[in-house]
Amino acid sequence: MRYVDVILPLPLEGLFTYGVSDELAAQVLAGVRVVVPFNKSKRYTAIAVRLHDEKPDFDTKNVIEILDTHPIILPEQLRLWQWISDYYMAPLGEVMNAALPAGLKNEDGYQPKTETCIGLCEAYRSEQALHLALDMLHRAEKQQKVLAEFLSFDYENSDITRDELMNESHCTSAVLKALIDRKILYTYEREVGRLNHGGEPHPEQIKPLSEPQQKAFNEIQSQFENKRVVLLHGVTSSGKTEIYIHLIQKVLDEGRQVLYLLPEIALTVQMMERLRRVFGNRLGIYHSKYSDAERVEIWQKQLSDEPYDVILGARSAVFLPFQRLGLVIVDEEHETSFKQQDPAPRYHARSAAIMMGSPVLLGTATPSMESYYNAQTGKFGLVELKTRYQGIELPEIQVVDVKDLRRRKMMTGPFSPQLLTAMRAALDEQKQVILFQNRRGFAPMIECNACGWVPKCKNCDVALTLHKTTNTLTCHYCGHTYAVPTQCPACEGRDLRGRGYGTEKIEDQIRDIFPEARVARMDLDTTRSRNAYERLIGDFASGRTNVLIGTQMISKGLDFDRVAVVGILDADSMLNNPDFRAYEHAFMMMSQVSGRAGRKGKRGLVLLQTKNKELPVIQQVTNNDWPNFYADLIEERRDFRYPPFHHLIYIYMRHRHENVVDSAAIFMASLLRQSFGSRVLGPDKPGVSKVKTLHIRKIVLKLENGIDLRRVREYLRRAQTQLMQDKRNAALQVFFDVDPL
């Protein structure tokens, strides 16, 4: 008897040891899946990590079955899993759950896609037997015709599908069934891949680089000789993507693979077409809108002798197996979408990419404070691209003082007269318009005009959002929907009004003001289906729609040729968030969405509507003044002990009963103060203090750079264990968010 340590797909700490017979032990390799028992009746598919002869001091259960002849997890992946587990304080089982498609975590959970094919029965394989069969069918002309059609195919060397035969012979299923019943033909299933095939690669489609692009390309290459991570800071429309394509081709020429990460599926859709024109079937796509079966097939292809050389994907693509990875590109590296929120592990794909061991290029027009600081201090290389491709001018950004316009009653809902005039001119010239409003729904809330009552979610501590198309009130935290009330339950008044503007309401009003406009909306509500992104982006890129209204989805690196006007409807909603990153995120979103204007042709116009035009950040966005924005913010971060000068760890506690979570949070904070002193802040209620019926408390840990984070994590685990020893906390949920965004 030997023993194997395995990872179970459960939120439990550590590895689990099972016995394995000598017969099965010969098949156990690190990274293969094994079926193991757990508790009295459950079975799980686990990942083998280590085979050994060290008998544990408890009675072990035995491995039931080994599912793979070769590892499905490579050693580099296991190392990455371990790092994510350690750094982000998540059990390895939670990392496994995030990493593997569901079809690889269940016994026989993945079903290959098959199609029905038609073959000739053995008894009719000779020429003489075939003549007899055709003669026998002289009174069944339809069957005879189908058999003759079948024989016209190269049936001995290729598969003839059922559909193919029926289409060519124009027969019904009944006629084909009769030939099968006569045992002349038979059916069998052939496995077919679900993956799209992009055709042959076309490296000749790679455009030559401009002089500034070539200089940046050469500098990146040079920086990679000394630094494993390089930040490419290039203004919007500077041609960063073309530099990426040249770098990818160079890596492929060296026989290695590339991972290209993007933060949003919407971006992946547009970039896929661009990369596929060059790399054809060497390109694979991996993100959450793909079915589980498709993701399993991509995983298996990456383990095969003919893997994709380039993978384009969202954050989960860092978990794919790469046999010869040579470069990781993290495009739009500043984006918060790279950070996983719920469920655990709460990892950042940018940090995970850096830990994969290959050179990493971070690209953006608006770097994150952490990345730019690392570049300024020499930890990362830095390459800057300050001119737009082909000399296209940066857009003109005009600040519109809506406070003054509202006072003079010159606003039309959320639209300033300047914006409406610019939109009219753009539409008259057959140009396009983008309107940015970072709230979905029709109205952020409804309110009783008499007493001020606002409907809230019964499960969460938030106001409900009105959605007009479904005529419902929806909680954007738990997804629960409610009927729109006809009267106020507090005062029985009937004057209930929507307050504020969501993208749905903006769309309604634009259709009223510009009835001739072809309007589309891009937000979470309109992009739930797999092909919604392709349709919305394709329609706008081709000009079938000419006004695009959206949330932050539309700010993220999408390229459109005919956008003349961009309207930022409410800058203040981004600036007024109670978050130390509010200005950073607002600057990034406003700069990025502004960059969608005037990418080809004449200079674009951006109208930035705000009640606080005197704020320095507004002027810095207007002047594209990244250096001064960074200089102001970095000093503030230093003074108030925020990243990049301090690490943050948020400790969250959740429980159904508020008194339980309150006492647990106070006890946890007192334990932490014994070791960390004034580095501990809280406990406090977060901005949303109840979600899905669970009350939430939050403790903040601020840790100066250079502190031993490994020892910090060990102490946090011990404090958590001590907290959970109290029986009153049996149902308490405790989790950690390391480097929160």
Side-chain angles (χ1 to χ4, degrees):
M1 177 69 70
R2 301 193 71 191
Y3 301 94
V4 60
D5 296 336
V6 305
I7 304 170
L8 282 170
L10 298 171
L12 301 172
E13 292 294 333
L15 300 174
F16 294 80
T17 303
Y18 286 85
V20 58
S21 67
D22 292 336
E23 180 186 358
L24 287 180
Q27 304 170 44
V28 174
L29 302 168
V32 301
R33 293 173 301 160
V34 297
V35 179
V36 295
F38 190 78
N39 290 337
K40 290 183 179 178
S41 58
K42 292 191 174 178
R43 296 158 53 116
Y44 286 103
T45 299
I47 299 294
V49 174
R50 187 174 75 100
L51 183 69
H52 58 87
D53 298 304
E54 301 157 21
K55 188 179 189 308
D57 56 4
F58 55 86
D59 291 334
T60 59
K61 295 181 178 180
N62 290 343
V63 169
I64 298 168
E65 185 183 357
I66 296 169
L67 297 178
D68 305 304
T69 55
H70 296 91
I72 67 156
I73 307 296
L74 303 178
E76 295 82 1
Q77 287 175 282
L78 282 173
R79 283 195 287 272
L80 181 65
W81 286 18
Q82 189 64 62
W83 178 82
I84 289 173
S85 174
D86 291 342
Y87 188 82
Y88 292 103
M89 302 188 67
L92 266 169
E94 291 185 319
V95 181
M96 175 183 170
N97 269 328
L100 288 179
L104 294 178
K105 289 180 288 191
N106 306 321
E107 296 176 62
D108 304 313
Y110 164 70
Q111 293 297 324
K113 184 179 180 182
T114 61
E115 60 185 358
T116 303
C117 294
I118 305 295
L120 184 65
C121 289
E122 189 67 37
Y124 292 94
R125 290 290 174 92
S126 69
E127 189 174 340
Q128 184 180 4
L130 278 174
H131 282 301
L132 288 173
L134 289 167
D135 288 344
M136 180 176 64
L137 296 172
H138 75 279
R139 291 185 180 177
E141 290 183 12
K142 291 181 180 178
Q143 293 177 41
Q144 190 181 53
K145 181 184 175 187
V146 172
L147 179 58
E149 189 66 49
F150 174 83
L151 296 174
S152 70
F153 287 100
D154 184 13
Y155 62 88
E156 291 182 337
N157 299 309
S158 60
D159 296 308
I160 291 92
T161 69
R162 173 192 167 97
D163 289 345
E164 191 177 13
L165 179 58
M166 289 179 67
N167 288 337
E168 290 297 320
S169 61
H170 306 290
C171 76
T172 64
S173 56
V175 173
L176 185 55
K177 183 176 182 298
L179 285 168
I180 294 166
D181 290 343
R182 287 176 180 264
K183 294 189 169 36
I184 297 173
L185 300 179
Y186 70 97
T187 63
Y188 63 97
E189 297 298 310
R190 179 184 70 169
E191 185 174 335
V192 292
R194 293 175 172 86
L195 307 182
N196 294 321
H197 300 285
E200 289 299 310
H202 290 282
E204 74 277 2
Q205 296 274 8
I206 300 178
K207 299 174 186 173
L209 297 176
S210 67
E211 188 177 333
Q213 287 173 323
Q214 187 65 52
K215 183 172 180 288
F217 176 86
N218 294 341
E219 286 180 8
I220 292 166
Q221 296 283 81
S222 174
Q223 296 267 12
F224 273 144
E225 292 177 11
N226 302 307
K227 311 279 185 185
R228 203 165 51 77
V229 183
V230 175
L231 174 65
L232 173 59
H233 179 200
V235 297
T236 56
S237 199
S238 57
K240 293 186 290 295
T241 304
E242 212 55 54
I243 295 173
Y244 300 154
I245 290 172
H246 279 253
L247 286 167
I248 292 169
Q249 187 61 52
K250 182 177 186 299
V251 172
L252 299 193
D253 289 344
E254 294 166 356
R256 293 178 295 162
Q257 294 171 291
V258 176
L259 171 59
Y260 189 142
L261 292 174
L262 280 164
E264 289 280 349
I265 297 166
L267 290 181
T268 308
V269 167
Q270 199 174 51
M271 190 59 66
M272 175 183 70
E273 294 304 321
R274 196 160 176 185
L275 295 182
R276 190 162 275 167
R277 285 196 294 270
V278 176
F279 301 110
N281 55 20
R282 301 181 79 175
L283 174 72
I285 316 295
Y286 193 81
H287 56 63
S288 61
K289 290 288 183 184
Y290 275 41
S291 71
D292 186 73
E294 286 171 308
R295 279 180 277 166
V296 170
E297 290 193 6
I298 292 171
W299 192 286
Q300 291 174 333
K301 183 170 174 62
Q302 291 311 95
L303 290 168
S304 73
D305 294 334
E306 295 184 347
Y308 288 118
D309 293 318
V310 185
I311 289 286
L312 174 67
R315 63 173 178 258
S316 59
V318 297
F319 293 116
L320 278 172
F322 289 90
Q323 301 179 59
R324 40 189 172 79
L325 187 63
L327 174 67
V328 181
I329 296 169
V330 184
D331 199 8
E332 310 293 345
E333 68 85 25
H334 63 278
E335 276 294 343
T336 57
S337 307
F338 280 126
K339 178 75 157 69
Q340 164 74 7
Q341 298 300 333
D342 281 309
R346 294 170 180 84
Y347 69 98
H348 199 302
R350 180 184 62 213
S351 300
I354 291 170
M355 297 308 296
M356 293 174 80
S358 298
V360 177
L361 180 65
L362 310 176
T364 179
T366 53
S368 65
M369 297 300 288
E370 287 88 340
S371 292
Y372 199 71
Y373 177 78
N374 283 334
Q376 290 289 308
T377 55
K379 185 176 180 181
F380 295 172
L382 176 63
V383 176
E384 299 197 278
L385 191 56
K386 298 180 179 178
T387 58
R388 278 186 146 193
Y389 184 63
Q390 295 182 338
I392 297 168
E393 288 186 279
L394 285 164
E396 177 191 357
I397 303 179
Q398 294 180 6
V399 178
V400 179
D401 185 354
V402 296
K403 182 167 63 177
D404 178 58
L405 291 170
R406 288 201 190 286
R407 183 178 55 79
R408 294 191 281 152
K409 294 184 168 50
M410 294 179 67
M411 294 288 287
T412 304
F415 311 111
S416 63
Q418 296 95 317
L419 178 57
L420 294 177
T421 300
M423 288 182 66
R424 169 60 61 203
L427 295 175
D428 286 348
E429 293 175 7
Q430 309 301 309
K431 299 290 187 183
Q432 292 176 304
V433 175
I434 288 177
L435 297 178
F436 174 61
Q437 176 75 348
N438 208 27
R439 282 183 178 273
R440 61 188 173 103
F442 188 78
M445 65 180 190
I446 63 171
E447 181 181 68
C448 174
N449 201 43
C451 73
W453 171 81
V454 172
K456 290 194 169 185
C457 178
K458 66 181 182 182
N459 302 320
C460 310
D461 182 26
V462 289
L464 297 167
T465 300
L466 175 64
H467 287 257
K468 189 179 177 185
T469 51
T470 55
N471 193 33
T472 56
L473 294 172
T474 302
C475 175
H476 286 173
Y477 282 80
C478 70
H480 201 82
T481 58
Y482 303 79
V484 179
T486 55
Q487 69 177 46
C488 172
C491 71
E492 298 186 349
R494 293 186 173 273
D495 188 7
L496 301 175
R497 301 183 182 182
R499 299 294 190 201
Y501 293 87
T503 48
E504 196 180 341
K505 192 172 185 179
I506 301 294
E507 180 185 17
D508 255 23
Q509 296 198 353
I510 288 297
R511 290 186 188 279
D512 288 341
I513 298 168
F514 299 101
E516 78 285 4
R518 302 180 300 278
V519 184
R521 172 163 54 95
M522 185 184 239
D523 57 28
L524 193 61
D525 299 313
T526 61
T527 56
R528 293 189 188 279
S529 68
R530 171 171 165 175
N531 297 319
Y533 290 103
E534 289 96 324
R535 178 177 51 78
L536 286 165
I537 292 167
D539 285 352
F540 195 67
S542 66
R544 286 191 290 274
T545 53
N546 55 10
V547 178
L548 181 62
I549 299 157
T551 56
Q552 59 181 346
M553 285 181 185
I554 63 171
S555 72
K556 300 178 180 179
L558 296 168
D559 289 347
F560 302 112
D561 294 344
R562 295 188 289 273
V563 176
V565 174
V566 167
I568 299 172
L569 300 181
D570 185 8
D572 307 310
S573 65
M574 295 178 278
L575 293 166
N576 294 335
N577 282 335
D579 183 337
F580 78 93
R581 294 188 191 271
Y583 276 24
E584 179 183 3
H585 292 162
F587 182 94
M588 289 170 175
M589 273 195 275
M590 289 190 282
S591 298
Q592 291 284 344
V593 78
S594 297
R596 305 313 110 212
R599 297 176 75 85
K600 287 190 181 174
K602 70 177 187 179
R603 190 182 188 193
L605 174 65
V606 178
L607 291 146
L608 192 161
Q609 298 186 168
T610 177
K611 297 173 189 168
N612 299 289
K613 67 175 185 176
E614 69 285 348
L615 285 175
V617 66
I618 296 294
Q619 298 307 315
Q620 287 157 350
V621 170
T622 303
N623 299 324
N624 193 40
D625 188 0
W626 166 260
N628 276 320
F629 172 75
Y630 171 79
D632 287 351
L633 205 55
I634 203 73
E635 286 310 309
E636 189 178 290
R637 296 282 181 87
R638 192 193 308 269
D639 292 343
F640 291 98
R641 298 188 300 152
Y642 280 116
F645 303 101
H646 281 68
H647 285 280
L648 294 183
I649 299 178
Y650 291 169
I651 301 105
Y652 287 100
M653 278 145 281
R654 297 192 291 212
H655 198 278
R656 201 169 286 273
H657 299 299
E658 191 166 15
N659 62 324
V660 174
V661 78
D662 267 332
S663 61
I666 291 167
F667 180 66
M668 183 71 160
S670 69
L671 286 178
L672 297 182
R673 284 194 175 92
Q674 292 173 19
S675 284
F676 300 115
S678 62
R679 299 180 183 93
V680 180
L681 303 178
D684 290 308
K685 288 184 178 182
V688 177
S689 61
K690 183 185 175 188
V691 174
K692 298 181 181 176
T693 74
L694 297 175
H695 295 273
I696 306 169
R697 295 296 179 268
K698 171 183 168 185
I699 298 170
V700 175
L701 197 55
K702 286 187 174 181
L703 303 163
E704 62 272 19
N705 289 352
I707 200 167
D708 187 340
L709 291 175
R710 183 184 56 80
R711 289 185 63 190
V712 168
R713 290 191 288 268
E714 286 174 1
Y715 189 85
L716 287 172
R717 288 294 189 204
R718 285 202 302 272
Q720 181 185 10
T721 301
Q722 192 172 340
L723 177 71
M724 298 306 290
Q725 285 171 350
D726 188 330
K727 291 181 180 178
R728 291 173 298 177
N729 297 331
L732 182 73
Q733 297 178 14
V734 181
F735 65 91
F736 305 94
D737 191 0
V738 179
D739 298 341
L741 291 182

